[in-house]
Amino acid sequence: MGINSTSSKSFSRLENILIIGNGGRENSLAWVIQKNSKVKKVYLIPGNGGSERINKCERIKIDIRNKNELVEKLDFLKIDLIVIGPEIPLANGLADFLRKKGFKVFGPGKDGAKLECSKSWAKEFMQEANIPTAKYWKVNSLEEAKKIIHSTSIPLVVKADGLASGKGVFIPDSKDECYRAAESIFNGRFGDSGNVVVLEEKIQGPEVSVFALCDGEKYILLPTAQDHKRLNDKDKGPNTGGMGAYSPAPLLKEDYLERIIKEIIEPTINELNKKNIDYKGVIYFGLMITESGPKVIEYNCRFGDPECQTIMPLMDQNFVYLLEKCAMGNLTGDEKICTSNKVSGCVIATSKGYPHQYKKGFPIKIGKIDSRDCQIFDSGTSLGKNGELLTDGGRVLSIVCQDNDFDIAFEKAYKNLKEINFDGIYFRNDIGHQVRKNLSREN
Ligand code: AMP
């Protein structure tokens, strides 16, 4: 059996860490965790083509759905802490299961994961706790949706209730488009995730991401970040999982952040407590700064990608202790987390065709990289028969750089990108435009 979390209240052994997931997010977590000299090994299930380029990292081939085999393996490897990256295993209760088996787990249980996994549940949650968010209607049929679409004069956003790999949100330009979006969701475009639809008032303002590490009661905030969801320069084109990001977000001045803490973050954690949800993990707050104040666009029950790749290089070697403290429920809330005064910028290199259809399996050539304060986290890569690096996803590589100045950080990232090539490589040239003086333009 795993380690009994209740018997180890003080810092315990942290030699073997397991990260579940296969993206850039998980590689950046592995990278920051391995910095700690106490950590001997970081295992990734399944990881990707770039995971084993990271110091101390090893991939494990195992299907996490095969739970008995998983526990046997984790016992054998003497895993001290488990970090679950993606939302699907969290929604399926993997954290609950592993905690019951005695492992220390960073990641909420099935109940907490509902913040992300059901948009209507999250909206009700916010309503009950008086947390500012866009007005909404939960609808169970196309007929119901039609009535609301035609009876309201405010512009609407249409959302599938359940998980839809970041593709379940539609921002229509007309009532007709709005109806067609609802129709496509009810017609099964996202399977059971579309049994319920949320119609939401379309709100306006810049977006910002805030992350709180929670131990069930206490929390600490990571540096803020801003990502770029649209595929093309000037924020044009379809929504993607994220084409790049930067951190911190200067948009959020300290007093405004205080307001967000009072109006959104603390009420969220209090409401979780009120509902007896012992949330041990990260809460992502996707916020919009509107004229009438900050509003929650969405919650995630995991680190955002690519914000995670952007923020992790700003963390020091003690970051793993914070994850452990959350898992054990002993955060003080006063921990100092960020020792770097630098800023960080991340640009994502994608496959041609993403976020729609794209081909995989193209060799990736990486030339002379300036590695000072620069990292390349593989997002969607695999290794070929002879160990060659191949494209294996829509988002392929995250190129991240830090400096005292955003202009220089992004200059380095784009310089490194010139050294990277694969068939169909695509990236935005204006990531961080809001904070790059030499690229300033009207947003
Ligand atoms: P989500 O997956 O909920 O983060 O939505 C994806 C993107 O859709 C967000 O980053 C926003 O840009 C946009 N969005 C979502 N909800 C709204 C809303 N109520 N009003 C305006 N834009 C929204």
Side-chain angles (χ1 to χ4, degrees):
M1 278 295 124
I3 298 147
N4 183 345
S5 58
T6 53
S7 70
S8 46
K9 272 286 167 198
S10 60
F11 279 138
S12 43
R13 218 179 64 136
L14 264 182
E15 290 180 4
N16 301 310
I17 315 293
L18 170 75
I19 300 175
I20 292 176
N22 69 348
R25 167 183 49 214
E26 288 74 21
N27 282 333
S28 68
L29 287 167
W31 180 87
V32 73
I33 286 172
Q34 61 77 32
K35 280 193 185 180
N36 190 294
S37 59
K38 264 189 156 190
V39 173
K40 294 211 168 126
K41 200 94 196 168
V42 182
Y43 297 97
L44 290 107
I45 302 179
N48 66 29
S51 302
E52 291 184 345
R53 285 205 313 272
I54 303 169
N55 197 19
K56 306 183 196 174
C57 286
E58 186 178 324
R59 297 175 67 185
I60 300 180
K61 278 203 188 89
I62 201 169
D63 185 342
I64 54 168
R65 288 169 301 184
N66 192 342
K67 292 194 172 158
N68 291 336
E69 199 189 335
L70 177 65
V71 169
E72 235 171 69
K73 186 77 181 177
L74 303 190
D75 277 333
F76 176 76
L77 295 172
K78 299 193 166 55
I79 295 296
D80 300 311
L81 175 68
I82 301 170
V83 181
I84 303 179
E87 67 280 18
I88 292 177
L90 293 167
N92 291 338
L94 184 63
D96 305 289
F97 170 77
L98 292 170
R99 270 197 274 270
K100 270 200 200 110
K101 292 288 176 188
F103 292 100
K104 281 186 274 182
V105 184
F106 179 89
K110 204 173 180 166
D111 51 3
K114 273 174 106 176
L115 277 182
E116 173 167 2
C117 304
S118 167
K119 291 201 188 284
S120 60
W121 189 88
K123 292 300 262 188
E124 277 157 34
F125 176 98
M126 285 185 263
Q127 208 169 35
E128 283 166 26
N130 221 358
I131 293 167
T133 186
K135 193 173 169 193
Y136 80 104
W137 296 261
K138 174 183 176 183
V139 291
N140 294 298
S141 69
L142 189 57
E143 264 318 291
E144 255 183 85
K146 194 175 171 182
K147 268 191 211 146
I148 288 154
I149 293 167
H150 289 292
S151 65
T152 178
S153 57
I154 57 173
L156 296 173
V157 171
V158 184
K159 300 184 175 185
D161 185 56
L163 294 177
S165 313
K167 295 188 180 124
V169 175
F170 297 83
I171 305 176
D173 285 326
S174 63
K175 280 186 189 288
D176 191 43
E177 246 184 66
C178 192
Y179 177 79
R180 274 186 276 124
E183 186 180 48
S184 80
I185 299 174
F186 280 121
N187 278 347
R189 182 168 179 166
F190 304 109
D192 286 347
S193 289
N195 290 345
V196 171
V197 163
V198 173
L199 298 173
E200 218 174 271
E201 167 199 9
K202 187 173 174 179
I203 54 176
Q204 274 180 344
E207 290 177 50
V208 63
S209 307
V210 178
F211 297 90
L213 303 180
C214 303
D215 77 341
E217 252 175 62
K218 300 235 168 51
Y219 71 93
I220 43 173
L221 296 184
L222 294 184
T224 52
Q226 248 180 303
D227 77 346
H228 297 64
K229 285 248 187 273
R230 300 296 193 100
L231 180 68
N232 302 324
D233 283 6
K234 304 204 165 150
D235 293 320
K236 300 265 191 290
N239 259 333
T240 69
M243 297 295 290
Y246 61 89
S247 172
L251 171 79
L252 279 192
K253 305 272 177 281
E254 209 161 296
D255 55 340
Y256 206 86
L257 189 61
E258 282 305 317
R259 178 171 179 189
I260 289 171
I261 290 172
K262 283 211 177 65
E263 292 181 14
I264 292 173
I265 293 168
E266 291 186 345
T268 299
I269 292 167
N270 292 341
E271 187 67 16
L272 286 167
N273 279 321
K274 217 166 114 190
K275 290 188 159 27
N276 282 324
I277 296 176
D278 185 20
Y279 197 106
K280 290 179 161 46
V282 62
I283 306 176
Y284 160 97
F285 300 82
L287 307 176
M288 202 172 257
I289 310 302
T290 71
E291 270 177 7
S292 59
K295 291 190 176 171
V296 178
I297 289 272
E298 63 160 350
Y299 291 115
N300 282 177
C301 61
R302 56 186 160 109
F303 289 106
D305 182 326
E307 293 100 320
C308 189
Q309 294 94 301
T310 316
I311 295 171
M312 286 308 124
L314 300 175
M315 303 291 110
D316 65 10
Q317 71 282 358
N318 294 325
F319 188 71
V320 66
Y321 296 139
L322 296 177
L323 299 178
E324 189 199 29
K325 281 182 163 202
C326 290
M328 291 172 70
N330 59 14
L331 268 186
T332 64
D334 296 325
E335 286 86 352
K336 185 170 169 3
I337 53 159
C338 181
T339 57
S340 171
N341 291 322
K342 291 188 174 162
V343 299
S344 185
C346 167
V347 184
I348 302 285
T350 66
S351 297
K352 183 179 167 189
Y354 173 78
H356 308 299
Q357 280 192 334
Y358 53 85
K359 289 187 184 147
K360 299 178 183 177
F362 296 113
I364 301 170
K365 291 189 199 81
I366 302 184
K368 205 169 173 304
I369 295 291
D370 176 357
S371 58
R372 282 165 307 158
D373 280 335
C374 290
Q375 307 77 32
I376 297 178
F377 297 123
D378 291 35
S379 293
T381 67
S382 63
L383 295 177
K385 273 194 206 118
N386 302 314
E388 69 279 26
L389 195 62
L390 303 173
T391 66
D392 195 34
R395 292 189 291 169
V396 179
L397 297 170
S398 315
I399 291 86
V400 193
C401 292
Q402 299 80 45
D403 201 276
N404 296 323
D405 178 278
F406 276 119
D407 277 303
I408 300 174
F410 277 105
E411 211 171 279
K412 287 199 286 189
Y414 280 107
K415 190 170 144 239
N416 279 341
L417 255 166
K418 282 200 179 127
E419 296 291 323
I420 296 171
N421 213 346
F422 55 85
D423 200 357
I425 186 171
Y426 176 80
F427 51 86
R428 274 180 64 160
N429 284 295
D430 67 344
I431 299 296
H433 59 78
Q434 302 93 326
V435 289
R436 286 163 69 188
K437 291 186 285 301
N438 59 13
L439 199 80
S440 58
R441 62 171 171 79
E442 285 291 298
N443 296 326

